Structures are given as structure tokens and as C-alpha cells.
Amino acid sequence: MAATAAVFSGGLKVKAGLFAAQISSLPLRDHLPRCLFSSSKTIASVSRSLRVSAVNNNHRRSSWPRVSTFCTAAPDAVSPVSEPEKKVESVEEVEENVKETANLLDIRVGRIVKAWQHEEADSLYVEEVDIGEAEPRIICSGLVKYVPLDLLQGASVVVLANLKPRNMRGVKSCGMLLCASDSSHENVEPLVPPQGSVPGDRVWFGNEEDLEQLPEPSPPNKVQKKKIWEAVQPLLKTDDSGVSMLKEEHLMRTSSGLVTSNTLKNANIS
């Protein structure tokens, strides 16, 4: 606006000068207003006032809040991003995912080579268990109240092998014997693999045909981090014939047959 005022005032100066020169040559000069003959000074004064006013207006306008009007386009409204629809799994898909998760557990047939009473814990046995590896695993089990020691010697058992080792009163336990128990937990007994099974045989949930499609067992760190055992264990039970299963439909088996409990029916497995 300051530039506009300068141009305007410059134009006025030129016009005023020409007008004053023409008026001064007229005979009526003495009868005309005196302001017409001093218009150059007057216009110069007006010009300075306009420049000052323009500067002040610019300063004030820069501090005004920006207001949207009909000639100031408002920013486009941002449309909300719609979230993708969550896929609803069918009952069949949920059941299949449970089975796949359970088959990430490294469950194997084992044979107890030797068992003895833990020296520092009255409720624990210590067992050397052959699960098909180069050396037997040391496993601690809280079975003292439930199973006589002599019945464990040489027994075939089912072992959960991909748990992180735990220190059990000074003994490093590298696995867990899977057992059936009644609802009151007064009766507990180890699960029994089918006849013909040998130490190291894989135990899985499902059909015989699933053996060729079994995933590799998860490493112990992942089993712990993802809480795989904690997710699967509440779904394990025996039926009214003593057959072990996952969610009443995925049978627990080896290539030789089904895993069972000798005496506990409709029992929990842990």
C-alpha cells in the first residue's frame, strides 16, 4: 500500500504543478482561492501522510488474526481414514488356529531311566528321562504325593520338551511330565503313550495325516514370550474313555496311536 501511495502522490504532484502554472497566467488569479497556488506543498504534505498511514496500516494488519471470508478459501476438511474391517474368523478357522498353536509345542515320548527323591524338596522327584536325545534330560516332577517311586522306574511318559529350564531347589529341570488330574487335584497320574512308541517320537494333536504337515516346534524363548503353553493347557483334557485331546476334537497321538490316561476320565491335563 505504501508503494501505491507513492505513485498516487507523484501523479498528484505533476498534475498540481501544471494546474498551478495554468492558473497563474489567468487574469482572475487574484480572485481565486490561494490554496490553488500552493497546491504543490499541500499535495506533498498529503503524500507524506499517506505513506505514514500505509506503514501503520501494514503494521496493524500483520498482527490481525487470519479470518476466513468468502474470498479466503478455508482449508479442505480432512476426511477421516476408515479402518479396515476386521476379518471375523469362522468357527472352523478358530479351531484350526488352536490346533496349530498347540502343535508348536515340542511334546515327545519319553522313558524314565532313573528316578529319585529330591534331596531339598519333599514333594519333588528327580528323573532322568530319555526323549531320543544324546543324553537323558533331568526333569523335576511334583508327584511324590501321587505316584510311588517304584512305578516311575522305567515308565513310558509324555514330555513337554520346549520349556525354558527352571531351577527347582538347586536342580535344573529341563522339561515337564504331562499328567492327568481330577478336578479336586487329589488324584494325579502321568499320561501314557501308546504301545509301540519309542523315546523321541513326536506327539501332536489332530489326525494321522497331519504328521506330514506339522510345524517345527517353537524355541523355548518363544514358547515363554508368546505364552503358548498357557494358551493351550486349559483346553487339554481326557474324555470319558481316558483318551487325551484338545478341545474335545483334536486327539493327542503319536504315529503308533493315541495318548491316554490309565484311570482318570474327563480329567484335566497339565
Side-chain angles (χ1 to χ4, degrees), residues 119-195:
E119 294 179 357
E120 302 295 332
D122 294 340
S123 62
L124 296 178
Y125 288 138
V126 182
E127 303 106 8
E128 288 184 3
V129 186
D130 177 10
I131 61 170
E133 297 176 334
E135 297 291 334
R137 289 207 186 187
I138 298 296
I139 296 177
C140 294
S141 302
L143 296 174
V144 171
K145 294 195 313 182
Y146 310 105
V147 182
L149 184 58
D150 61 312
L151 293 183
L152 288 180
Q153 307 293 348
S156 291
V157 290
V158 177
V159 177
L160 177 55
N162 59 343
L163 296 177
K164 291 188 72 174
R166 294 180 58 190
N167 192 307
M168 307 285 284
R169 294 289 188 91
V171 177
K172 189 176 183 180
S173 180
C174 300
M176 181 170 68
L177 302 188
L178 295 185
C179 298
S181 63
D182 58 19
S183 58
S184 63
H185 207 72
E186 292 181 358
N187 298 288
V188 180
E189 64 184 28
L191 294 182
V192 180
Q195 290 186 353

Side-chain angles (χ1 to χ4, degrees), residues 109 156 192-199 201 254-260 262:
V109 173
S156 291
V192 180
Q195 290 186 353
S197 299
V198 298
D201 280 356
T254 74
S255 55
S256 300
L258 301 177
V259 175
T260 60
N262 281 332

